[in-house]
Amino acid sequence: MDGTTTLAFYGLGAAAVATSVATLRKRLELSRAKHRSLAGHSRIARRLAALVPSYDYDEDRFSCSDGAPEAIAVRRRAGFARLSSLYRARFAETTRRTAEASEAISDLQFTGAYRVPFQFRRLVQAHLPAAAMVQSSNGVTVTDLDGNRSYDLTGSYGVNVFGYDFYKETIERGAARVRELGPVLGLYHPLIVENVKYLKAISGLDEVSFHMSGTEAVMQAVRLARYHTRRSHLVRFCGAYHGWWGDVQPGLGNPAPARGTYTLTEMSEDALRVLRTRRNIACVLVNPLQALHPNAAAPSDSALADSARAVHFDRDAYAAWLKRLRAACSERGIVLIFDEVFVGFRLAKGGAQDYFGVRADLVTYGKTLGGGLPIGVVCGRRNLMKRFRDDRPADICLARGTFNAHPYVMAAMNEFLRYLQTPQADALYRDLDRIWDKRVELLNARLAAEALPVEVANLSSIWTVCYMQPSRYNWMLQYYLRSEGLALSWIGTGRLIFSLNYTDADFAAVADRFVAAAKAMRDDGWWWSSPALTNKAIRRSILKEMVLHRLFSLRERNKH
Ligand SMILES: Cc1ncc(COP(=O)(O)O)c(C=O)c1O
């Protein structure tokens, strides 16, 4: 080897080392920017989930899985039996028809199963069966097939912002306006023009595209960001829901890995560092609902193994975070997408952009915007919405959909958007947070006065129930609430969604029923506590149980 070759050799070596150090540093930065919970590590979460054994409690264990003494277990069994008889009598026809339909509706089988932690599922399904059918809605109530009227806290997954009667009217009035055209697709009814005008004004953006669901709107927004930036990856934040498309759901629930997705910690400098150093990031997706519980998944009662559910909504802190995120995205040419499918039109007339005072490049809307019919919308800056390139005719970004801009949906949306322009709508939005914060205070004061270990927390009209003392039975509250005439969605007490037409009197009735339900649950002994019963101890005992069941099932398998 002559001197020049040796030098070149060392030079190459040094360059290779420098490259690997830089790659390693970026890798470490990415690891640091992941949330430390399992939700922040989708691959590990999926692997661990595959290890969770299936087992359930028999009647004895069901009532004392927390180590409660026999006297308490007896009270719990009596309470459970009473509740079960009440369900059988009161919801007879509704549960019968639900069970019948469930045979062939896979969605019902799923929502029926995931209501409580799986160890309790078998006995709960047998004795407190799901009643998932309703006959009618009226004001803030829904009526089931047995004629029971319940206050609606499901909010229809967030669609119901102004009350069911409002949507019945928007659908009817809208249908009348497009009846002459009927379901002609591909060509537009001219009222689409007014919808676009309103949506541009609300979003502050230049163009609009119509889709059939929130999931599709998010898919399109991300696809456009990838097309225009020519970069591969999307960033989503830990816990945030953006629909069920694989790329935005990299963890549990999606059987395939999402290779073009980074899940980072929200409200974290480490996440901003990743945005500033990686060159492959096309867009950042934000679901402003996460302001209520940053980095945690939507709270569902099937995950209520203990009382660790926590919320910490701080509007100013979240707004400050969004501003920092906005700056980092602008600096790096990353597309900032606000996914307002849930919170748009619920927090403020101008949506989360107005509420938090930060502008996005693309915004997705859905749910209530359809005026009661299915919808997904993307609003965006002109340069990002374009689906072809003038200088490369074969380089396009395709997005079509048979039912996009369906005349009936456009018409119901038009009624919805016109209502937003009225003084009544202005009045509704003006005092929104004050009204709902006050109601939270009222209910919490009543719960505290009764020394009940429950509290509610909110982001405006979106509420969640928190549990103040360690317990394995918090998920039972959903059944007591239903028995008091409060309709909850299948995820139970994790998300109570109020429509804005709740009057103080309606709310007072809900508060009475909530308190009565919590008292009944306490009196039946479910919130028994002891100094040894901490959240940590609960988690440890469940883990131990799982390991034992796993070992036992392995041993059984080896025997055969
Ligand atoms: C923030 C957000 N994005 C997207 C979606 C998906 O919308 P859809 O259920 O209409 O597909 C949802 C649904 O809950 C949502 O909350």
Side-chain angles (χ1 to χ4, degrees), residues 288-499:
L289 173 59
Q290 291 300 109
L292 184 57
H293 40 66
N295 294 303
S300 154
D301 282 2
S302 67
L304 261 185
D306 58 18
S307 300
R309 182 189 280 171
V311 290
H312 24 253
F313 174 53
D314 180 338
R315 184 172 173 175
D316 292 340
Y318 199 73
W321 155 248
L322 291 179
K323 284 192 184 107
R324 292 211 301 284
L325 190 58
R326 172 70 277 179
C329 287
S330 300
E331 234 173 76
R332 303 289 297 177
I334 296 169
V335 179
L336 178 61
I337 307 172
F338 274 14
D339 178 2
E340 298 205 26
V341 168
F342 200 111
V343 295
F345 307 102
R346 182 172 278 280
L347 299 184
K349 203 155 110 174
Q353 290 194 101
D354 262 12
Y355 189 78
F356 291 110
V358 178
R359 314 307 300 178
D361 301 310
L362 294 173
V363 180
T364 56
Y365 299 106
K367 297 204 191 253
T368 194
L369 175 58
L373 295 180
I375 191 65
V377 162
V378 181
C379 294
R381 289 202 279 111
R382 190 175 303 287
N383 61 327
L384 291 173
M385 295 293 280
K386 187 158 174 158
R387 300 179 189 178
F388 57 95
R389 300 190 205 282
D390 292 330
D391 56 345
R392 291 189 198 180
D395 186 359
I396 56 173
C397 178
L398 191 74
R400 305 292 301 149
T402 304
F403 287 104
N404 291 358
H406 190 294
Y408 283 76
V409 178
M410 288 300 107
M413 180 191 293
N414 189 261
E415 294 292 325
F416 175 87
L417 289 168
R418 282 184 174 190
Y419 175 75
L420 285 188
Q421 317 307 315
T422 63
Q424 296 99 295
D426 280 340
L428 259 188
Y429 284 114
R430 204 171 299 127
D431 267 342
L432 209 53
D433 278 9
R434 192 186 54 77
I435 290 171
W436 288 102
D437 292 351
K438 185 91 201 132
R439 289 173 177 173
V440 164
E441 255 177 54
L442 273 173
L443 180 52
N444 280 339
R446 289 191 57 187
L447 292 165
E450 299 284 350
L452 290 159
V454 201
E455 223 177 67
V456 288
N458 70 314
L459 166 58
S460 205
S461 53
I462 307 162
W463 290 29
T464 192
V465 180
C466 297
Y467 299 91
M468 313 316 292
Q469 97 196 2
S471 168
R472 286 204 66 181
Y473 293 97
N474 295 318
W475 49 266
M476 271 299 290
L477 182 61
Q478 61 175 301
Y479 294 99
Y480 284 90
L481 291 171
R482 290 193 185 103
S483 78
E484 290 292 333
L486 299 178
L488 310 183
S489 68
W490 66 277
I491 63 169
T493 65
R495 189 140 292 159
L496 313 180
I497 305 169
F498 291 89
S499 47

Side-chain angles (χ1 to χ4, degrees), residues 157 212-218 240-244 286-289 339-343 364 366-367 375-376 495:
Y157 294 118
M212 289 162 286
S213 66
T215 299
E216 278 191 38
V218 170
Y241 184 67
H242 296 286
W244 64 277
V286 174
N287 177 355
L289 173 59
D339 178 2
E340 298 205 26
V341 168
F342 200 111
V343 295
T364 56
K367 297 204 191 253
I375 191 65
R495 189 140 292 159

